[in-house]
Structures are given as C-alpha cells and as structure tokens.
C-alpha cells in the first residue's frame, strides 16, 4: 500500500507539467478545530465557502460550498494556446455542495491541541474541454466539451494547534467518488477511441482518493488569514495507471488563501487560564 501511494505521488508530480482536462477539482478541506459548545467558524476564499458549528462540547456540524472559475483572464485564444498551469485547468467550471457531522475534543488542559473527525457527503458537477492540443481552431469550442456529475462521501480526521494568534493543522480526508452522466462533445477525442474509452471509465466505478492537507491561520482572535496546501491521490487498486490514469482528470494539487472568522467564548477566557 505504501509503495502504491508513493508511486501515485510520483506519477502526479510527473503529470502536472502536461495540460490536463480536470473533471474533478477537490474542494478545500474544512478544518474548524472547534473547542466548545456554540462555537462558530467560517472561512472564505475566492472559490470556497465553509462553515462549522458546535452543537455540544464534542459534536459539531459543517456545511461547505465550492465554485470553480478562472480567477485571471488571459488575453489569448484558448483554442490554440499551449500555456500550462501547474495547479488548475483554466477551462474547468463547476463545484460541490456538502455537509458533515463530526466529533471534536481538546487534547490538553489548556485546550491548545485539538483532534476532530468528520464524516459526510455531497454532490456536484464539473465541465471543461479536451486538451488544447486536440482542438481545431476553426470548430466551435463547445464541440470539445467534457462534463460529468458525481456524488461523494468522505471521512476526515484532523489534529491541530489552536491559539488566538496562530493555528496549524494536518488533515487526512478519505473520499469515495461516484461519477455519472458523462458527456463528450461531438469533436471531443475525435479519432481517438482509446481516449474516449478512458474518459468513460471515470463513471460506473467508485474512485477512492486520499487528500492530505496542511492548514495555517494567523491573525488575532476572531479574524485570521488562512492558507491551505492540499494534495489529492487516487487510491484504487483496480486502476493500474497504465493507459488510463484518473489523475489525467483529477486536479492533483491546490493552494488556497482566504480569511477565517471564529466566534467563541474561549478567547475571552484564554489569558485567565494561563
């Protein structure tokens, strides 16, 4: 299992220099690090909105939303451009809505270290185009459209350090994806039956991914800057990474930055307990 995991990382790293067509973009991992009842935390970035609320001193719920769109418009013909992007397929649009319930527990008397685990599900869809090198600039771009829908289930344990000034956490999200309703435009993968068959393999079979993430926040009390680096690795043993590689359609890395808002009583009691 370890060999396969590291081999997958090497394959992903080798593939990011190619121009892929992403039909799945993992959303930011929601890592609230809650400590007490009625605590609320939300984070926002250009493509993600996430919230979490503690119902009791150990049970919480979360709701997350994502919408992927180009953050920067480039002045060039996207039919013929060969520009590559390490992290994203600039043509991908779509998103995810999900919810979860979880358990959290501070690990020390001062409640600076926190463990939490959430389980939930969601659904979404993405659309993009085939690789730019496959397109004919005289044909309408919609003829090269790729799109799909999917449902997902996940379990997400995290451990982190939460302080009024700085927070840091490591998370491991395990996701089960089920793709359905795949669509290819009439010119997508034209004269390439193997590529058509590979694209259709993304549907009809469950796909498991491992999404490790590092989350960092800095600010003071209620408002902090947030940054997260995440990698997404397919785990399925039935995919041999031969002619078909799911990472051709999976965005392998993401780096997100935004703001985090936290409403909690423990900030007021922090210095009293020191």
């Amino acid at each position: 299992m370890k060999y396969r995991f590291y081999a997958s990382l090497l394959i992903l790293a080798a593939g990011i220099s190619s121009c892929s067509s992403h039909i799945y973009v993992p959303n930011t991992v929601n890592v609230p690090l809650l400590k007490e009842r009625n605590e609320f935390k939300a984070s926002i970035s250009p493509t993600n909105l996430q919230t979490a609320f503690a119902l009791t001193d150990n049970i919480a719920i979360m709701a997350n939303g994502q919408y992927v769109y180009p953050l920067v418009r480039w002045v060039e013909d996207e039919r013929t451009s060969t520009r590559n992007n390490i992290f994203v397929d600039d043509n991908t649009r779509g998103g995810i809505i999900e919810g979860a319930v979880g358990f959290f527990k501070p690990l020390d008397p001062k409640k600076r270290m926190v463990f939490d685990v959430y389980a939930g599900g969601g659904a979404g869809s993405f659309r993009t185009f085939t690789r730019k090198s496959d397109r004919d600039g005289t044909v309408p771009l919609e003829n090269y459209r790729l799109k799909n829908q999917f449902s997902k289930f996940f379990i997400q344990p995290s451990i982190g350090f939460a302080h009024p000034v700085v927070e840091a956490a490591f998370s491991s999200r395990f996701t089960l994806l089920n793709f359905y309703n795949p669509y290819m435009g009439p010119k997508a993968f034209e004269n390439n039956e193997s590529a058509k068959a590979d694209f259709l393999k993304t549907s009809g079979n469950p796909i498991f991914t491992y999404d490790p993430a590092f989350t960092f926040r800095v600010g003071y009390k209620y408002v902090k800057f947030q940054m997260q680096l995440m990698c997404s690795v397919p785990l399925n043993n039935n995919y041999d990474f031969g002619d078909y590689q799911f990472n051709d359609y999976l965005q392998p890395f993401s780096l997100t930055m935004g703001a985090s808002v936290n409403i909690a009583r423990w900030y007021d009691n922090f210095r009293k307990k020191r």
Side-chain angles (χ1 to χ4, degrees):
M1 183 66 181
K2 288 184 178 179
Y3 170 80
R4 184 172 186 82
F5 172 71
Y6 291 121
S8 300
L9 283 177
L10 290 174
I11 291 169
L12 288 172
I16 60 176
S17 61
S18 64
C19 186
S20 296
S21 298
H22 296 150
I23 57 166
Y24 178 69
V25 179
N27 59 322
T28 300
V29 180
N30 189 352
V31 188
L33 298 179
L34 302 176
K35 299 185 181 186
E36 63 186 14
R37 182 177 183 177
N38 294 328
E39 183 175 356
F40 172 80
K41 182 169 283 186
S43 63
I44 186 170
S45 70
T47 58
N48 285 266
L49 175 63
Q50 302 180 318
T51 62
F53 180 75
L55 300 174
T56 72
D57 283 331
N58 295 112
I59 303 299
I61 55 175
M62 67 166 56
N64 309 316
Q66 175 201 46
Y67 184 74
V68 175
Y69 62 97
L71 300 180
V72 178
R73 293 284 185 179
W74 295 84
V75 183
E76 60 184 348
D77 188 345
E78 63 180 356
R79 292 189 183 93
T80 58
S81 168
T82 58
R83 179 177 58 83
N84 294 328
N85 192 308
I86 292 177
F87 288 116
V88 298
D89 168 11
D90 294 322
N91 292 312
T92 299
R93 309 286 188 276
I96 301 169
I97 295 177
E98 64 184 24
V101 61
F103 170 85
F104 66 91
K105 184 174 179 61
L107 299 179
D108 63 289
K110 293 184 178 181
K111 297 185 177 182
R112 295 185 181 181
M113 295 298 298
V114 180
F115 168 81
D116 60 34
V117 57
Y118 290 85
S125 66
F126 287 102
R127 64 187 189 277
T128 186
F129 302 107
T130 55
R131 293 177 178 85
K132 293 170 183 176
S133 59
D134 296 336
R135 304 177 203 158
D136 180 349
T138 64
V139 176
L141 197 55
E142 282 297 317
N143 287 343
Y144 298 94
R145 172 72 69 189
L146 300 175
K147 63 182 179 180
N148 70 352
Q149 295 175 278
F150 62 90
S151 60
K152 63 177 291 189
F153 302 93
F154 66 91
I155 184 168
Q156 173 197 304
S158 304
I159 188 168
F161 173 80
H163 183 275
V165 175
V166 63
E167 298 180 22
F170 174 73
S171 307
S172 294
R173 182 173 64 190
F174 297 89
T175 303
L176 169 63
L177 296 166
N178 289 286
F179 290 91
Y180 58 94
N181 290 342
Y183 169 82
M184 292 184 289
K187 290 288 185 178
F189 304 123
E190 188 176 28
N191 301 321
N192 191 340
E193 295 302 320
S194 176
K196 290 181 181 179
D198 288 348
F199 174 73
L200 293 176
K201 286 180 184 178
T202 62
S203 298
N205 295 298
I207 296 172
F208 296 89
T209 68
Y210 172 51
D211 309 327
F214 294 92
T215 305
F216 176 75
R217 302 182 183 108
V218 63
Y220 186 64
K221 286 190 175 183
Y222 311 109
V223 180
K224 295 181 177 73
F225 165 79
Q226 175 175 297
M227 179 175 68
Q228 184 178 102
L229 176 63
M230 180 182 64
C231 172
S232 189
V233 182
L235 294 179
N236 287 44
N237 290 327
N238 57 317
Y239 295 138
D240 59 8
F241 298 101
D243 293 334
Y244 167 52
Q245 299 177 19
F246 177 64
N247 52 278
D248 283 346
Y249 303 105
L250 164 71
Q251 181 173 303
F253 298 98
S254 69
L255 176 65
T256 57
M257 290 179 282
S260 173
V261 176
N262 192 195
I263 301 174
R265 295 189 305 272
W266 67 265
Y267 287 120
D268 299 326
N269 299 324
F270 180 78
R271 292 192 176 276
K272 298 177 182 179
K273 294 180 179 180
R274 293 182 61 179

